[in-house]
Amino acid sequence: YYREYATRQDLRIQRFLQSSGEISVNLEKSRLYLIGQYWIDLKDNDKKPPQRLPEFGYFINPLNIGYFTFTMSSSITNFYREKETRGQRLDINPTLSYSFGDKIQFFQSLSLRETAYNLQNSSVGSSIHRETFEYRANAQMRFLKISEPYTHIIEPSLEYKFIPKTKSIPVFDSTENFNNTSIAQLSLLNIFTFKDFSVSARLTQPYDFIASKDSLLPIKLEASFIRQPIFFRFDTSYDIDNKRLETFNSEIGLRISDKTNMSIGERYNRENKLMFYKAEIETSLSPQWLLNANLWYDAKVKEIRDLNISATYKRQCWALNGIYSRKPSFNGRPTEHSLIIFVELMGLGRLKLL
């Protein structure tokens, strides 16, 4: 748990700050959950995002029905905010998928979606509903060459996604963005694996059939190089129509020893005007003790945006985690320093002690 999630401090550079609590029950072939989420817009204090207070959901795990696979997600959500549109939403989304092929692998899926609302402070009525669907298709091939010095894999693929245009409805979250989409993308994955290292690259070009202009969406390149104890990876997107770089993210890491890793990286996003540098080090003092430190530096404002130091003590059935955080000044508020201590009990979840 801690190795996967304790170092996700990059979430703090996003526009919204999210606090959430969730209770879930895993059944034999499905899952029930109850979740509450509270959002704060860090960019615009005047905008109040809708709060998910609460949401009850039911999810059916993939089931094989003959040649098909069936799954379904459903939820009932109460969205609250004081002045703007609020209310309740019922969303049901079953999906049926089918795959076949040997040398060329084909995958298809059809998702139906029923969404119904009971709204207040709405300009489109109090009781509205929307029926729509999503069709996805994917074709993929694999070419493999095995020789004495290396293994070479090439995987071309073609994907298509279609959602018809439906009526305009109030936007609470990504569910409402399920509308008017017709995008195809061609992708080529190239992997070379040698005895001591591996190199991979994926080039992806999407095309929007609905856009009146700029139908050719930004082309994306992802690449990585791994040769222990070093790894390097980056991804970038380039807008061909407007001839400009949209995003560029990179990271280089070094395994100093069997117990210590360090990395440095950067993140650039033209649209959101982001330019961050990141440094991180993690070391295991013993099988029970794990230390981690990372910082984010904002090149736009020339200051440290985030500094975090954590120490974790793990046992078989429980873990103790202490986190020191420094948050920068924001909208006239001074720099914040905090110390939080959590205890993780297996089967019970995470409890905050301080």
Side-chain angles (χ1 to χ4, degrees), residues 7 62 79 112 201 204 209 323 331 344 350:
T7 60
F79 291 101
L112 305 180
T204 304
F209 291 95
I323 303 175
N331 281 355
E344 175 85 12
R350 207 180 193 194

Side-chain angles (χ1 to χ4, degrees), residues 85-132:
T85 302
R86 61 179 185 267
Q88 295 76 43
R89 183 187 70 197
L90 170 66
D91 183 61
I92 302 175
N93 184 207
T95 300
L96 197 64
S97 59
Y98 174 65
S99 60
F100 63 95
D102 183 16
K103 294 183 179 180
I104 302 179
Q105 299 176 354
F106 293 92
F107 171 84
Q108 296 183 90
S109 69
L110 179 64
S111 300
L112 305 180
R113 193 153 207 168
E114 170 68 31
T115 311
Y117 299 84
N118 178 35
L119 302 174
Q120 295 87 44
N121 299 337
S122 172
S123 60
V124 296
S126 59
S127 297
I128 60 174
H129 57 88
R130 179 190 66 178
E131 295 76 30
T132 186

Side-chain angles (χ1 to χ4, degrees), residues 3 28-29 59 82 122 177 183 230 295 297 299 350:
R3 291 186 184 276
E28 183 179 358
K29 296 181 179 180
F59 180 82
E82 292 184 2
S122 172
N177 294 329
I183 294 177
I230 298 173
L295 66 85
Y297 178 80
R350 207 180 193 194

Side-chain angles (χ1 to χ4, degrees), residues 332-352:
R333 294 181 299 184
T335 301
E336 296 182 8
H337 301 267
S338 64
L339 177 63
I340 305 174
I341 297 177
F342 293 97
V343 61
E344 175 85 12
L345 301 177
M346 183 175 295
L348 295 179
R350 207 180 193 194
L351 304 176
K352 182 179 178 182

Side-chain angles (χ1 to χ4, degrees), residues 34-37 50-56 75-81 85-90 118-120 172-173:
L34 179 66
I35 187 172
Q37 290 181 335
Q51 312 304 335
R52 194 187 306 263
L53 300 171
E55 175 178 294
F56 175 77
S75 64
I76 301 176
T77 310
N78 178 62
F79 291 101
Y80 176 79
R81 49 188 170 186
T85 302
R86 61 179 185 267
Q88 295 76 43
R89 183 187 70 197
L90 170 66
N118 178 35
L119 302 174
Q120 295 87 44
F172 290 118
D173 58 20

Side-chain angles (χ1 to χ4, degrees), residues 64-319:
N64 292 324
I65 305 175
Y67 294 102
F68 299 91
T69 300
F70 174 81
T71 185
M72 187 185 75
S73 62
S74 59
S75 64
I76 301 176
T77 310
N78 178 62
F79 291 101
Y80 176 79
R81 49 188 170 186
E82 292 184 2
K83 298 180 180 180
E84 300 179 57
T85 302
R86 61 179 185 267
Q88 295 76 43
R89 183 187 70 197
L90 170 66
D91 183 61
I92 302 175
N93 184 207
T95 300
L96 197 64
S97 59
Y98 174 65
S99 60
F100 63 95
D102 183 16
K103 294 183 179 180
I104 302 179
Q105 299 176 354
F106 293 92
F107 171 84
Q108 296 183 90
S109 69
L110 179 64
S111 300
L112 305 180
R113 193 153 207 168
E114 170 68 31
T115 311
Y117 299 84
N118 178 35
L119 302 174
Q120 295 87 44
N121 299 337
S122 172
S123 60
V124 296
S126 59
S127 297
I128 60 174
H129 57 88
R130 179 190 66 178
E131 295 76 30
T132 186
F133 69 91
E134 176 187 38
Y135 173 74
R136 287 178 177 267
N138 175 275
Q140 179 177 306
M141 296 181 66
R142 166 174 281 205
F143 300 93
L144 176 64
K145 178 183 179 181
I146 301 177
S147 60
E148 184 176 347
Y150 65 89
T151 298
H152 186 199
I153 300 174
I154 297 178
E155 290 187 359
S157 64
L158 179 63
E159 299 180 21
Y160 178 69
K161 175 182 176 181
F162 175 76
I163 303 174
K165 185 176 182 179
T166 59
K167 66 178 70 173
S168 298
I169 53 178
V171 176
F172 290 118
D173 58 20
S174 59
T175 299
E176 281 72 39
N177 294 329
F178 195 87
N179 188 17
N180 199 26
T181 302
S182 182
I183 294 177
Q185 67 176 31
L186 180 65
S187 179
L188 180 64
L189 174 63
N190 213 332
I191 303 174
F192 284 92
T193 303
F194 294 83
K195 180 179 179 180
D196 298 325
F197 68 94
S198 64
V199 180
S200 66
R202 184 194 299 271
L203 189 65
T204 304
Q205 176 60 71
Y207 184 87
D208 192 337
F209 291 95
I210 295 178
S212 56
K213 62 177 182 177
D214 297 338
S215 298
L216 205 61
L217 301 180
I219 189 171
K220 185 174 183 180
L221 173 64
E222 305 163 89
S224 68
F225 170 84
I226 301 175
R227 181 172 186 174
Q228 296 297 340
I230 298 173
F231 75 85
F232 171 73
R233 56 176 171 254
F234 78 90
D235 65 83
T236 183
S237 60
Y238 182 79
D239 190 334
I240 297 177
D241 289 332
N242 296 305
K243 299 181 180 180
R244 63 191 181 195
L245 190 70
E246 294 294 329
T247 64
F248 188 88
N249 308 306
S250 64
E251 183 179 17
I252 184 170
L254 172 65
R255 179 180 288 273
I256 301 174
S257 67
D258 291 339
K259 298 181 179 180
T260 304
N261 300 295
M262 67 174 297
S263 66
I264 56 175
E266 59 82 34
R267 174 175 294 183
Y268 168 76
N269 187 297
R270 185 200 62 82
E271 183 178 1
N272 294 325
K273 299 179 181 179
L274 295 178
M275 184 62 194
F276 284 90
Y277 296 101
K278 176 191 176 184
E280 181 175 3
I281 185 168
E282 181 181 83
T283 183
S284 178
L285 302 179
S286 69
Q288 291 78 34
W289 280 101
L290 178 68
L291 297 179
N292 177 276
N294 64 77
L295 66 85
W296 289 83
Y297 178 80
D298 190 335
K300 294 287 187 180
V301 298
K302 294 181 172 56
E303 70 172 0
I304 295 176
R305 298 294 297 172
D306 208 351
L307 172 63
N308 304 275
I309 301 173
S310 69
T312 303
Y313 181 75
K314 298 182 293 183
R315 301 297 293 180
Q316 184 174 1
C317 297
W318 60 276

